[in-house]
Amino acid sequence: MPEQEIVLKQEPGVKAYNSESPPSIGLKAGAFAEVGTLILTNQRLVYVSKGGASRAAAWALGGALTAGAIEKSVSKAELDDLMQYEGSYYVPLQEITRVETARKMGSAYLRVDNCSHGQKPSRSYILGSGWSKNEDWVNAINSAKTELLSNQNASATGFLPPPPPPPPEHAPPVCPSCGKPLSYIHQYQRWYCYKEKKYL
Ligand SMILES: [Zn+2]
């Protein structure tokens, strides 16, 4: 895994749902939604919930992330610090199994499935900026994942020591008097030294 975590994409004002699609509008979808910022790094998909007003002040700590600093390097500690807020979480890119855009009751949303242990298997997001951005997110997440996996493969082949050599052929015993390898003569079932032309 690359040492440096880089923010590739982020979007504030994202409503997140712990289900494969947002609840229908009739159920007052907004009432059940967390509103926060979706952040894609080169290692994971992060959702930071801003929660209520009390949390907004603490959120200012993450100002570097909210300033639209695309391609900004962030420390793992910075993101982990944001992760402490209730409703916040992240999914490692290699555990994202599917990303797609979909529509329900006229609103477009982004669906992200994962295989992470202890996570909701599917989550959905409604982005404030509209349908076209959903496609951008699908592409960004998929390409970040592809790149992460190919980096891992590259480092696996680049830095691992070469595999051990195959086990040597069973070495023949050597002649006790001259040290040359002996040959086993099946016909007589004896070891023979060709150098000295004698059986043991
Ligand atoms: Zn010999």
Side-chain angles (χ1 to χ4, degrees):
M1 191 172 276
E3 286 279 319
Q4 200 173 41
E5 187 160 19
I6 297 171
V7 173
L8 302 175
K9 194 170 175 58
Q10 59 180 311
E11 177 149 341
V14 176
K15 289 178 186 165
Y17 306 87
N18 291 328
S19 54
E20 63 185 50
S21 67
S24 56
I25 306 299
L27 293 173
K28 296 182 181 170
F32 298 105
E34 291 270 2
V35 178
T37 297
L38 194 59
I39 301 168
L40 174 66
T41 78
N42 58 338
Q43 295 177 13
R44 52 186 165 167
L45 182 67
V46 182
Y47 182 75
V48 180
S49 173
K50 286 171 100 167
S54 62
R55 217 179 288 162
W59 175 251
L61 290 172
L65 291 175
T66 60
I70 305 297
E71 294 288 341
K72 175 190 180 301
S73 296
V74 292
S75 69
K76 185 174 180 300
E78 264 182 294
L79 279 174
D80 286 344
D81 185 50
L82 293 173
M83 218 54 44
Q84 67 184 292
Y85 301 115
E86 188 184 348
S88 304
Y89 53 82
Y90 72 87
V91 180
L93 289 181
Q94 63 268 33
E95 293 180 0
I96 290 178
T97 53
R98 187 162 74 136
V99 189
E100 65 176 19
T101 63
R103 241 176 221 285
K104 184 180 181 183
M105 306 289 286
S107 58
Y109 63 93
L110 184 67
R111 172 179 167 180
V112 180
D113 292 355
N114 72 82
C115 60
S116 296
H117 181 69
Q119 298 256 9
K120 302 285 182 187
S122 292
R123 288 191 166 105
S124 50
Y125 305 93
I126 293 182
L127 309 182
S129 53
W131 171 256
S132 60
K133 291 289 175 63
N134 287 357
E135 289 291 345
D136 289 350
W137 274 93
V138 170
N139 295 335
I141 292 169
N142 283 331
S143 65
K145 181 182 171 183
T146 302
E147 182 152 338
L148 177 68
L149 294 180
S150 71
N151 283 345
Q152 286 177 339
N153 289 342
S155 63
T157 52
F159 293 105
L160 281 181
E169 298 286 322
H170 180 69
V174 294
C175 175
S177 57
C178 73
K180 294 290 178 187
L182 293 168
S183 299
Y184 189 72
I185 309 302
H186 283 274
Q187 185 182 355
Y188 304 114
Q189 300 190 357
R190 293 280 298 276
W191 289 96
Y192 184 75
C193 176
Y194 278 100
K195 178 125 188 296
E196 298 172 285
K197 296 182 168 54
K198 68 175 192 185
Y199 288 95
L200 275 199

